Each structure stands twice: as C-alpha cells, then as structure tokens.
Amino acid sequence: MGVIGIEEIFLDVKDLAKAVDFYHNLLGIPVVKRDAERAYLQCERSHVVLQVKGHSGRHRGGGPMHFSFTVTEDTFDEIAARVVGPQFFTRGPMGKQGQGRTLFMIDPDGNEAEVNTRYLYGIPKR
C-alpha cells in the first residue's frame, strides 16, 4: 500500500491554551512552534496543528478541516494522474521528487485533503 499514514491534521480550536494543555501536557505531544494563533505539535512521523477558529494564514480556504497523508513517490504519481483535471479542484503538484512533493485537493465535503512525500525524507522544518 502506498498510503503510509497521516502526515498532518489542522484542528480549529476555541481556546489555544486549553488545546495545548490537552494535547501537550495530557497526551505528551511535544510543541515545536507556537504563536498567538497556532501551535505545531510534532509526533515521530506526523504533526498536529492547533489553530484558533477564525485564524489568518495557512489553510483558511481549506474547508472545515485540512489533513494530509504521507504517500510513497509512486503513489503520489498515481494519485496526481487520477485527480488533476477539471473534475476536482486541486493545487499542485508542487515540489521535487526526492525532496518532498505535495498535492492539495478538495474532497466532496469541502475539506482540503493533501498527499505529500515530505516525511519520506525526514521531519520537515517548521
């Protein structure tokens, strides 16, 4: 199977401090970056982004939720060939093979789904 796992999930939260307390202090996921609107929590091969509802910045137009799957290079090419075209709204593909590529698409419910190869090459820098 070419889908390795979840690479990232962006969650809208009402109270960033309470969300960080839950995911970091209770569950033990390390916080690697934080500002007034979002906190990045790093797992071994994935990450969770907590962001204040109504935030500015990344994934604002991504529907009710944004998530990304880590895929193999071959699977990335297969998925891109199936979804890039007039039937789906997509952004990408972008990046370079061997360094990390990404492709964004809107699913039938308006969520922004992504396939990505970044975690094949180590933990991305934040």
Side-chain angles (χ1 to χ4, degrees), residues 52-103:
V52 176
K53 194 161 187 66
H55 62 88
S56 64
R58 293 181 66 192
H59 304 303
R60 281 191 76 188
M65 185 173 220
H66 168 82
F67 49 90
S68 177
F69 296 99
T70 299
V71 298
T72 63
E73 290 286 0
D74 291 341
T75 300
F76 183 93
D77 291 332
E78 293 168 12
I79 292 170
R82 287 194 303 262
V83 303
V84 173
Q87 72 272 31
F88 296 103
F89 177 80
T90 60
R91 290 186 291 127
M94 26 186 129
K96 294 182 180 179
Q97 188 167 5
Q99 297 178 358
R101 297 186 290 165
T102 190
L103 172 65

Side-chain angles (χ1 to χ4, degrees), residues 17-32:
K18 285 183 181 179
V20 168
D21 185 53
F22 179 85
Y23 287 98
H24 174 64
N25 295 329
L26 187 62
L27 297 183
I29 305 170
V31 175
V32 295

